[in-house]
Amino acid sequence: MTARIGVVTFPGSLDDRDTQRAIRVAGAEPVALWHKDRSLKQVDAVVLCGGFSYGDYLRAGAIARFSPVMDTVIEQAKAGLPVLGICNGFQILTEAHLLPGGMLGNDHLHFICRDQKLRVENADTAWTTDYTAGQEIHIPLKNMDGRYVADRYTLDELEAEGRVAFRYLDFNPNGSLNDIAGITNEAGNVVGLMPHPEHAVESLIGTGRTDGLPFFTSILKKLVNA
């Protein structure tokens, strides 16, 4: 059977269609999920896509975290459902406390959009097994509130447990502590990152490379082999 991966659309989501296409390119079936619906339609994994849910009012991801669909996402993620949060999705995951820390405005106070070099730090999560630890990749980045922050205890814990999934190289675009671009939970089924892998799955778009495709092939292989 074809793996089914849900993509949640919130008011203000921008990259739901791009994410669905990336899933399709990888060989899985994308399933559209609406923020007001509690049902996940029996999908095998979920992606919270990028954008500006609810206009980023109050705080990025803070309102979306209370959408009805998130009750089910939180429950299922704690039970092992693979969940990927991209950009705004990462912000929502921290607001939902599925990932530790939080996101603040970029330290330069400007929106940034660029191709970003990253280093893969953890290739053992549900979403990163098609990478190798230490691999350097280029993924498009676009955000206004991309500065990852956490208290020193949490940062030390993430580093000690190998839960920093991706780190910015050459240039820290938003002032994230420890150059953190993405993290994972303890179980490895929930991953969040600020760059946009869905924009790097075909050579004709984004960076002109396919460095983002392994996110989607990794989860596909995990689901097929489960």
Side-chain angles (χ1 to χ4, degrees):
M1 294 179 62
T2 302
R4 303 172 74 248
I5 302 177
V7 179
V8 179
T9 298
F10 299 92
S13 294
L14 299 179
D15 300 302
D16 43 354
R17 297 295 182 90
D18 302 68
T19 304
Q20 291 174 26
R21 178 171 178 78
I23 291 167
R24 194 175 295 111
V25 169
E29 177 188 350
V31 178
L33 301 176
W34 183 236
H35 72 110
K36 286 188 175 181
D37 297 332
R38 295 184 184 276
S39 172
L40 299 184
K41 301 181 180 179
Q42 298 182 314
V43 296
D44 303 299
V46 168
V47 180
L48 305 180
C49 66
F52 302 90
S53 59
Y54 293 91
D56 279 349
Y57 294 122
L58 182 60
R59 189 173 57 248
I63 300 177
R65 173 263 178 273
F66 292 101
S67 290
V69 73
M70 287 304 299
D71 290 338
T72 311
V73 170
I74 292 169
E75 177 185 2
Q76 292 300 311
K78 290 179 177 179
L81 180 75
V83 178
L84 175 65
I86 302 171
C87 195
N88 191 227
F90 185 11
Q91 295 161 344
I92 295 169
L93 289 177
T94 63
E95 291 289 340
H97 304 297
L98 288 174
L99 291 174
M103 312 300 297
L104 296 178
N106 298 341
D107 59 353
H108 46 76
L109 304 180
H110 294 285
F111 179 83
I112 188 168
C113 182
R114 71 190 303 268
D115 292 339
Q116 179 65 47
K117 188 176 182 181
L118 307 174
R119 180 171 63 239
V120 180
E121 301 284 18
N122 186 330
D124 295 324
T125 78
W127 299 90
T128 59
T129 55
D130 268 0
Y131 293 110
T132 57
Q135 182 178 351
E136 296 182 1
I137 61 177
H138 291 79
I139 302 289
L141 174 84
K142 51 178 183 175
N143 64 70
M144 181 68 187
D145 299 288
R147 176 162 50 116
Y148 180 76
V149 297
D151 60 70
R152 178 49 55 185
Y153 176 84
T154 299
L155 289 173
D156 290 345
E157 186 177 56
L158 290 172
E159 297 286 2
E161 296 178 358
R163 290 169 54 198
V164 175
F166 297 90
R167 210 179 301 270
Y168 297 118
L169 289 184
D170 297 343
F171 172 71
N172 186 325
N174 43 42
S176 291
L177 298 180
N178 290 21
D179 297 327
I180 290 174
I183 60 175
T184 180
N185 67 342
E186 292 182 26
N189 63 303
V190 179
V191 171
L193 79 161
M194 287 309 296
H196 287 259
E198 77 279 12
H199 296 327
V201 299
E202 297 175 289
S203 60
L204 292 178
I205 60 174
T207 60
R209 304 160 61 131
T210 58
D211 290 1
L213 187 59
F215 276 90
F216 306 100
T217 57
S218 292
I219 189 60
L220 178 57
K221 290 179 181 178
K222 176 178 177 56
L223 294 173
V224 169
N225 295 326

